[in-house]
């Protein structure tokens, strides 16, 4: 684990932006499919996590859905019961020439609380648990190493409970749940829960935003 990652996390948690060289111009380049990677992350309500990653430079697609259960084609209502084993997650696809797995994790551990078991704020239940669903050994090792280093550095006051589990399946949520924050910014939940996370992300990672103004 690089020291710079821990510095970034420390900076993020103290809400002080760390200026980095912007590579926004790279977005204009045609994306080579060989440079794309996908990881599945659960960090509370998927609307919150989706809204953040949609604005990270280098991310080419974010899809809200469900992972971690065994039944086929679970509905939102079924998952919300907390009895299916499924987690609200986002599939994040990113261009490795623009961003990196480390940066994806930096954002992940900044915008959600990895120390609260089966909850994020007022959203309570196993469907809101903190989890990384890895798709290859590189992702598994990276996630475990990051968690280990964060624990050693005592970044958080409470123990990290983020699980690292092998990806098995993903079921996309219905269309009305995609781009939810963008389409429903005036909704109370968006204003009270999602917007503060987005604003925190935009402040800390201001040089990593899509369409950054120079």
């Amino acid at each position: 684990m690089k020291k710079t990652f821990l510095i970034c996390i420390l900076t993020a948690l103290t809400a002080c932006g760390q200026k980095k060289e912007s590579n926004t111009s790279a977005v204009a380049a045609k994306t080579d499919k060989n440079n794309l990677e996908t990881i599945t992350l659960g960090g509370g309500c998927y609307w919150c996590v989706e809204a953040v990653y949609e604005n990270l430079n280098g991310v080419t697609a974010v899809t809200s859905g469900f992972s971690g259960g065994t039944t086929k084609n679970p509905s939102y209502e079924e998952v919300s019961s907390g009895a299916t084993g499924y987690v609200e997650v986002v599939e994040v696809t990113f261009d490795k020439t623009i961003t990196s797995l480390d940066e994806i994790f930096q954002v992940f551990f900044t915008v959600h609380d990895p120390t609260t078991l089966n909850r994020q704020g007022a959203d309570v239940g196993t469907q809101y648990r903190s989890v990384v669903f890895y798709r290859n050994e590189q992702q598994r090792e990276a996630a475990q190493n990051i968690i280990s280093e964060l624990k050693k550095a005592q970044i958080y006051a409470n123990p990290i409970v983020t699980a690292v589990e092998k990806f098995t399946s993903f079921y996309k949520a219905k269309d009305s749940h995609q781009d939810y924050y963008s389409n429903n910014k005036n909704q109370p939940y968006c204003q009270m829960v999602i917007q503060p996370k987005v604003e925190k992300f935009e402040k800390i990672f201001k040089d990593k935003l899509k369409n950054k103004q120079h």
Side-chain angles (χ1 to χ4, degrees):
M1 170 52 51
K2 296 180 180 179
K3 184 178 180 181
T4 51
F5 176 83
L6 295 178
I7 292 174
C8 182
I9 290 292
L10 283 168
T11 301
L13 294 177
T14 55
C16 296
Q18 179 175 317
K19 188 171 183 179
K20 297 180 180 180
E21 183 179 354
S22 175
N23 54 9
T24 306
S25 59
V27 175
K30 184 177 180 180
T31 301
D32 185 339
K33 291 184 178 180
N34 292 325
N35 294 328
L36 296 181
E37 181 173 350
T38 298
I39 190 164
T40 304
L41 305 169
C45 174
Y46 50 27
W47 296 336
C48 297
V49 186
E50 177 193 64
V52 167
Y53 279 111
E54 284 185 332
N55 289 302
L56 178 64
N57 192 27
V59 169
T60 61
V62 187
T63 307
S64 292
F66 315 106
S67 287
T70 56
T71 58
K72 293 184 178 180
N73 299 312
S75 68
Y76 175 76
E77 290 73 22
E78 289 171 336
V79 174
S80 294
S81 72
T84 65
Y86 278 100
V87 186
E88 288 196 13
V89 297
V90 292
E91 275 197 340
V92 181
T93 300
F94 58 98
D95 186 333
K96 294 180 288 185
T97 67
I98 301 175
T99 185
S100 66
L101 190 58
D102 273 358
E103 191 163 84
I104 295 296
F105 282 133
Q106 287 174 20
V107 173
F108 182 64
F109 284 103
T110 299
V111 299
H112 93 292
D113 186 348
T115 70
T116 53
L117 184 63
N118 298 332
R119 73 176 299 164
Q120 285 295 305
D123 293 321
V124 181
T126 56
Q127 68 271 31
Y128 299 116
R129 65 193 181 98
S130 176
V131 58
V132 175
F133 288 106
Y134 64 88
R135 292 167 180 258
N136 53 53
E137 282 302 296
Q138 180 188 15
Q139 291 183 355
R140 181 187 65 80
E141 291 179 4
Q144 290 181 335
N145 288 342
I146 286 168
I147 292 171
S148 177
E149 291 298 326
L150 290 174
K151 288 179 178 178
K152 289 179 183 178
Q154 298 181 331
I155 300 298
Y156 303 97
N158 297 314
I160 295 174
V161 297
T162 304
V164 180
E165 302 177 9
K166 186 176 182 179
F167 173 84
T168 56
S169 62
F170 172 81
Y171 292 97
K172 181 181 176 181
K174 56 187 179 181
D175 289 345
S176 60
H177 286 254
Q178 307 299 327
D179 303 311
Y180 190 84
Y181 177 68
S182 297
N183 296 327
N184 299 276
K185 288 186 177 180
N186 292 325
Q187 293 286 346
Y189 185 87
C190 291
Q191 293 183 340
M192 293 168 33
V193 180
I194 304 178
Q195 185 173 327
K197 290 178 180 288
V198 171
E199 290 176 347
K200 179 182 181 182
F201 162 74
E202 290 177 342
K203 180 178 181 180
I204 296 167
F205 296 92
K206 59 184 178 180
D207 294 305
K208 293 295 184 178
L209 302 180
K210 291 181 178 178
N211 302 317
K212 179 180 178 293
Q213 299 298 314
H214 295 280

